[in-house]
Amino acid sequence: TNLQTNYNSLLTQIDQLAGDSSYNGVNLLNGNNLKVVFNENNTSSLTIAAVTFNSAGLGLSQISGAGFQSDTTITNTVDALNSALTSVRTQSETFGTNAATIQTRSDFTTNLINTLQTGSANLVLADQNQESANLLTLQTRQQLSISALSISNQAQQAVLKLFP
């Protein structure tokens, strides 16, 4: 009788655990599917199929009366528990595969963001000393060009003065 009470108590705990396993309003153990979108235009995504892993969803039911006094009930309960364990292990593998896919995509996106930020920083952040030297060089060329143009105009005027 004590084992039966503990078993029924554990089923209640399983129901509560499955009910409390939500994150951001999505509970994969209580029938809520999750769609993970990998890009901004929604063309690449992964839908994670939910399961119902409360005691009823696992095929486990409360034992009432003198249920554990019967060998048949105990055998059926053990078989149901083994089946539930197999279901949980199989679903754990599926969730693990989905988690690995999401982690891979997350790592790729993080690396892409880092590459783009580095590229934009290289475009915007300039070496001030180098850019100052470039500016000074351009200003010097401009002044030399103006001086050359002025000298050229003076030479033309001198030639024109020779012919009255």
Side-chain angles (χ1 to χ4, degrees), residues 37-163:
V37 178
F38 295 121
N39 61 7
E40 69 281 357
N41 54 8
N42 201 16
T43 58
S44 179
S45 65
L46 172 67
T47 301
I48 301 173
V51 292
T52 304
F53 270 2
N54 56 17
S55 60
L58 290 170
L60 306 173
S61 58
Q62 298 274 336
I63 305 295
S64 61
F68 268 12
Q69 304 303 318
S70 164
D71 288 341
T72 305
T73 303
I74 293 173
T75 302
N76 290 341
T77 302
V78 169
D79 291 342
L81 285 170
N82 287 332
S83 175
L85 283 171
T86 301
S87 296
V88 169
R89 285 184 182 127
T90 302
Q91 191 59 43
S92 175
E93 291 171 5
T94 302
F95 283 159
T97 301
N98 290 333
T101 301
I102 292 169
Q103 186 62 47
T104 300
R105 292 298 296 255
S106 175
D107 292 344
F108 171 78
T109 302
T110 301
N111 290 336
L112 181 62
I113 289 169
N114 290 339
T115 300
L116 292 174
Q117 285 178 337
T118 301
S120 68
N122 288 342
L123 289 173
V124 176
L125 301 177
D127 180 12
Q128 294 298 322
N129 293 330
Q130 180 67 36
E131 296 305 320
S132 295
N134 289 342
L135 180 61
L136 185 59
T137 301
L138 291 174
Q139 287 174 341
T140 304
R141 284 182 185 168
Q142 183 181 22
Q143 288 175 354
L144 288 174
S145 298
I146 291 172
S147 296
L149 183 61
S150 174
I151 292 171
S152 172
N153 283 338
Q154 288 175 359
Q156 287 177 356
Q157 290 176 359
V159 169
L160 289 176
K161 287 183 182 179
L162 291 176
F163 302 102

Side-chain angles (χ1 to χ4, degrees), residues 1-14 62-63 68 81:
T1 304
N2 190 26
L3 291 176
Q4 181 175 323
T5 303
N6 289 342
Y7 174 79
N8 288 336
S9 176
L10 287 173
L11 291 183
T12 302
Q13 291 298 316
I14 289 171
Q62 298 274 336
I63 305 295
F68 268 12
L81 285 170

